[in-house]
Amino acid sequence: MAAPTTGTRWVYDFIEGDRDQRALLGGKGAGIAEMTRVLGPGRVPAGFTVTTAACVSYLGNGGHVPDGLDEQVDEALARLEEQAGKRLGDPEDPLLVSVRSGARDSMPGMLDTVLNLGLNDASVDGLAARTGNARFAWDSYRRLVQMFGNVVRGVPGDVFEDEIKRIKMEYGATLDTDLDAEALRDLTMRFRRLYDFPTDPREQLEQAIRAVFDSWNGERAKSYRRINRIPEDWGTAVNVQQMVFGNKGATSGSGVAFTRDEITGAPEPSGDFLPDAQGEDVVSGVRNTRDLADLADWMPEVHTELLEVLRTLERHYKDMQDVEFTVEDGRLYLLQTRSAKRPAQAAVRFAVDAVQEGLLTPAEAIATVDAGALDALLHPTFDPGSNPPVLAHGVAASPGAAKGTIVFTAEAAVLAATEGRDVILVRPFTEAEDVAGFFAAKGVLTSEGGKASHAALVARGMGRPAVTGAAVLDIDLHAHEVRCDGTVLHEGDFIALDGTAGIVTVEDVPLVQPEIDERFETLLGWCDGLSRLQVRANADTPEDARRAHAFGATGIGLCRTEHMFMAADRQMKMRAMIMADDEAGRRDALDTLLPLQQRDFEGLFEEMAGLPVTIRLLDPPLHEFMPDQYEVREQLTRARLEWTWDLPELEELLQRMRALEEANPMLGTRGVRLGLLHPEVYEMQARAIARAFRAVRDRTGAAPLLEIMIPLVALEAELELARGRVVSTAREEGLEAGRDFAVGTMIELPRACLIADSIADHADFFSFGTNDLTQTTLGLSRDDIEGRILPTYYEEGLLERSPFETVDVDGVGELVRIACERGRRRHPDLETGVCGEHGGDPDSIRFFHAAGLDYVSCSPFRVPIARVAAAQAAIAGAR
Amino acid sequence: MAAPTTGTRWVYDFIEGDRDQRALLGGKGAGIAEMTRVLGPGRVPAGFTVTTAACVSYLGNGGHVPDGLDEQVDEALARLEEQAGKRLGDPEDPLLVSVRSGARDSMPGMLDTVLNLGLNDASVDGLAARTGNARFAWDSYRRLVQMFGNVVRGVPGDVFEDEIKRIKMEYGATLDTDLDAEALRDLTMRFRRLYDFPTDPREQLEQAIRAVFDSWNGERAKSYRRINRIPEDWGTAVNVQQMVFGNKGATSGSGVAFTRDEITGAPEPSGDFLPDAQGEDVVSGVRNTRDLADLADWMPEVHTELLEVLRTLERHYKDMQDVEFTVEDGRLYLLQTRSAKRPAQAAVRFAVDAVQEGLLTPAEAIATVDAGALDALLHPTFDPGSNPPVLAHGVAASPGAAKGTIVFTAEAAVLAATEGRDVILVRPFTEAEDVAGFFAAKGVLTSEGGKASHAALVARGMGRPAVTGAAVLDIDLHAHEVRCDGTVLHEGDFIALDGTAGIVTVEDVPLVQPEIDERFETLLGWCDGLSRLQVRANADTPEDARRAHAFGATGIGLCRTEHMFMAADRQMKMRAMIMADDEAGRRDALDTLLPLQQRDFEGLFEEMAGLPVTIRLLDPPLHEFMPDQYEVREQLTRARLEWTWDLPELEELLQRMRALEEANPMLGTRGVRLGLLHPEVYEMQARAIARAFRAVRDRTGAAPLLEIMIPLVALEAELELARGRVVSTAREEGLEAGRDFAVGTMIELPRACLIADSIADHADFFSFGTNDLTQTTLGLSRDDIEGRILPTYYEEGLLERSPFETVDVDGVGELVRIACERGRRRHPDLETGVCGEHGGDPDSIRFFHAAGLDYVSCSPFRVPIARVAAAQAAIAGAR
């Protein structure tokens, strides 16, 4: 490749750029340039950026820096020295600089910073003299030699650490800070012997720049780019910036400041500072920092100036800012500004205040909120003031806090609920037959499983707080006790858990109840006005529906009728249905379930008058309603050995269970397959729905917009047949499809997406079941891979997050796009939505908006989050 | 809709059409017209066709026949009467006609035929007088009234049957044929009272034509069209044809004839006939038919004429024909001709003879062969002459016949094999740990499961005959006996099975061994010259590879390395690997497996020098190598109750098994996931492959074209990482990717198809694993749905055949097309193939050819079939 002409600009002073030049100057370079531009020269330590183009040229040209680069660096350095009034390597008053990489997008961990560049055996004395602090000077030099060796020359970090350990022994020092100037000089000289440290500062700078360039092709960077899909040919920029020191004495200091209160979002700046200290001292917490207000006493003019700067930055960036500042010899420098991380309540307050102050439009304000973080406002939490002793940490599986006494079985939980006792269901893991216990308990605690375990999924679906995988707990169901580090808890003992934080305690912590306050309501109102996507809720009970309504859901996108069969009293009826030998037997059992199911639907329909309610017909495999097969087998083995009376009964049970057993139940007899195999099941459900609809309409004069949904369709003919049966059963009950209700299908198999055109011939709506669609598209069983495969995949950089949390856009998303396109081609009025966990995930919602869906449906507790995310998606889409 | 102008032709005489007019005249009408055209007028009973367009007009116009139709029918009828010299309804000598539907594509069962139309109370006497056979005349009339009532008027069939039963009682008749003319007259009159039978023959005809039109919208027809995707707007034609009678006396008769020997294909016509009989008497087998050769004695001129007709038809249709003929009063009529059904050997002989006779080109000859039926030539069979008593019928799960003594366990089979005894493995069902027994046994028999059961799949993969699901057998593993209808068989008793027919017997039937004879070789040679698709074989052992080679495979498309671990001695080593606590332990166990695996590969490579060999790295979940968990649990329960010494060992085993257990193993820790989780497994395999490759190359100077395949890839990064590791391990062993071997991936998940472009960046080839792709695309577990869901689906018309036998073109096929297109876009030289069961299915092969794949790979025994199918696909594609 020919070297570019010498006319190319490879180097830009900070004062020349702005934030739109990320491609050329990198993210960091553009950011510093922008801040310099906003605050004017002198408020940001000066410096310059070597462009990404220089890096690309260097890497493409066999490691030769492009013509003109060295000269341009020399010139920029000269301008920097001129402005700082100091020279690099000056033995009297040396200019020190930092060298940092900065790609177009942030690539954390790609290259560590090299600080204090410009020090050598001569200039270190100059620094000591100018600062009057020999220890500081030698510590700075020691750090340079260490960082340079490690970062630029690749000397392993532990080589330096070993040297530090040795010198501490020799000098009898315990902490690093116990080492005095003499010891640090000794240490620096030992470091110097570990490799060939360049004492010429210009040479230091050149090598550091090359090292940053080379780091673009390091293994860590490549792996990072692979995960984050960053193109190989972007290259990185290099930022060279004057060092400033807050530890030069009484008129120096460092701090961090927020443009508003960092906890509440109230419109007063907050922060901490430390006189005579560097930034890292403020952050590390080694010394007790002082409140930002005290700065007014210490250096009033700096304080005034800082407040002015904060106002300027917030106005310019249109967001609450978190800035780092240093005062060197009474002069204020701003080192960094970024959008402030803030708790949910502060985020809401800032957004609403900013609109009311005229700082932001509602759309701009909504964009400042991290929708996912709003979760914290929607569940009870441990009182933030309390700091209870932690019994165990586990996975924060379902948000919210709960407390009560321990029970070990679903039955005990149900009993407790009828007696009005608050209990926590504690089990090694949970299964389908424990679901009744979830209803009854205040919270769920397991020692096994993670975020995608049965316990976590069911708990989130029902809004019950849960901590899972608290592996330190030894939960012994036989002994009815929980053992943990010598503590033994028994059934009936008190326990509390925080599913937002993943914490378990035995202390009776006060809980703080959530509420959607006036500001949050205001924000959500703005969101609804800007969204295109509607937000519905997944709700299986009238109680869920009420909550969903209160949280602003515009309908029920998924009512899982199987949850209605999980309640303790119904599970036995369901089991009787499954155990029946023939259709007549099944019909008898179903007849007893029909009025119960009808009553459930009536409650739901009354709650949702005038709004859409999508009811999914029975979906899961029948064996989910059966007891644990291992337990039955064990009982049977015992019964055989002991010739007990229940042998024949157990044998029959086991035989039926074996007949229902499936190698891969996820891909087995469920959904519409079950409905076609045993038509009487869907018939009963259709009848119960229709009767409930008529009863509610007759009683109240109002009715929901009823949608009946047929799950797991793979073949056009499956839907055609099942739909026909539902329609004719409903007609027997006096309802007409089209007039009184719609019939649609869940799109949750790849084949359904591919033949969406012919499926659309028989469907009034599509509801994407992206949970199952993810499982089948990726061939990944959620139950199986989470604990075994995903940790390795995260570690190896193969995946960034679970495809069950955020929709896999390239695979599952592609199928959703194909299905929408093909479905609408045949049926332009087709209603499309998504139900399942992704419906409450902000990143997924952004995709669903772009794919053109009509609504998302999620757990009631996620509805406000989804409303914000839907608005953000619309706002981002409009830009 | 406006009625069409009267100028439209709605009716065509048979003599006017030909076989290209299926759209207008329907399949049957065009077929009769073609035969009329070929044989000249007078040889085919005359008649006319009412067009499909008339039907479409009728249905679109509220059931009004189009203007001009009645007149055109009148005119055609007049021409027919003119030609026949008889008039419809003539009381002296009536013309009788049949009325039959005939859509563009055959729709069997849509409408039954109406025969003898034209009879009434007057003309029946004329017919009796002319034939001198009153019984015949009244039986004909009785049949007309019955058929007309049932087919045209919808009177339920059992109403007539009840009447027949009654009259037989009254007349003391046992069989229908016991009823004399008087009884039949009585019966006819009773039928007449059941509904309003139109005595006017023209009215009969008009109503019959309308009934055929209406039948297009009947439920049966709609369901048939749904299954077969026949457009709703095609409509059906109606064929009206003069009746001829072979039962008019000594110079009449009926018969069927084949243009060549129907069993062997030898070039002499064969067939049967019966003097003074109708066609149905020949077919029903009630009377003993006479050989076609006897016709020469009986009516030499008719015999000569028939032979001439047979030659003409075969020459015209360019295929062996099966014709129905009737002789009425010494005059030969041809009623139907169609391609003759023929056994495999006859098909091969005809194809080869026909080319050598100059009748057909090789391409035309190949097209006459039913590729799937060739299976019968490739396996041993029961001697066709033997007719052993059947002990049990079961599913014809894996073709071929086998005999030997009964064993009940894989261990016993292995022991027998080492002692040189032939055994049949008999089990209720089989599991992974039984696979060693498949190797050792001559055949496999189970009482549970069907064509997709584990036993069937493994047996087919290994070419072992198998009968599965022989439900009548009570296989008692505890008692070591098989009980069946009072017979009790014990271990060591003789048994024989025919997996082609699904038959089990205890008789020592002689077996006929298969061979690819000279004619078959000739045919296959022509096929290879015409195909584009290559045919490889799935082979796991040198023995398989030899067989594949002998059957003409051009390489190994799939070597499943896990089968190498299934042998009895290795299973324990594999188990030790799985039971190891850490990587070191696993490596120790793997080290003992490496030389064994290397030896396997060496055998394979020597056999396939110069040909491609695709080796798939370990794919199935580890728990497949473990013993049955229920058994271990039962042992453990016993051990606990009895405090036996092996308690801790069993507990550890169970714990490890529980850790490996998966809810949906198909979607769990397998394929590349396993390879990334335990890199040492793939590393061992890559090392064994590389060492074997070098050893063979050094020893023989030749080597295969090595392809290493990574299974179950869903993410680009999975392949990138696994490929990198394989390449670097191979490099340690002296092999270079690109130079010595290729690395590719199995495309078996929907996501892999959708992101095939980025996957192609890291793959030299794609091999479609359509088994797993079918499971994930349709969300159907092969193990689970076959016995439970598919029977219902076939019955309800939802599916025509299993998507695991013939590839699902709309779903799975669409993904294959997408993957090929996206993969080639990025990587134009990408090699593409398919392995798995579909690779040996002719219909699927047609699709894979059209999709542009480079090869299919199938079981060695299917290779000749696939070669024929590949040629047929190319021939069909070229047309």
Side-chain angles (χ1 to χ4, degrees), chain B residues 20 163 342 440 519 656 779:
Chain B
D20 296 332
E163 216 49 81
R342 65 207 91 165
R519 280 201 190 86
R656 191 78 192 115

Side-chain angles (χ1 to χ4, degrees), chain A residues 274-317:
Chain A
L274 270 176
D276 194 15
Q278 285 189 296
E280 61 210 61
D281 303 323
V282 181
V283 179
S284 70
V286 175
R287 286 161 60 187
N288 284 329
T289 57
R290 292 168 60 181
D291 190 86
L292 195 65
D294 297 349
L295 189 61
D297 300 331
W298 176 49
M299 290 208 278
E301 64 296 345
V302 169
H303 182 251
T304 306
E305 195 180 342
L306 178 61
L307 293 190
E308 178 58 36
V309 161
L310 292 178
R311 269 191 298 275
T312 306
L313 290 173
E314 191 179 271
R315 223 174 299 124
H316 179 71
Y317 288 101

Side-chain angles (χ1 to χ4, degrees), chain A residues 630 661 718 720 788 793, chain B residues 226 630 661 718 788 793:
Chain A
Y630 291 128
E661 193 183 14
E718 286 174 326
E720 186 182 5
R788 296 175 205 204
Y793 272 36
Chain B
R226 186 178 67 215
Y630 291 128
E661 193 184 14
E718 286 174 326
R788 295 174 205 205
Y793 271 37

Side-chain angles (χ1 to χ4, degrees), chain B residues 401-417:
Chain B
K403 54 191 190 179
T405 54
I406 294 173
V407 293
F408 291 104
T409 63
E411 293 72 35
V414 170
L415 179 66

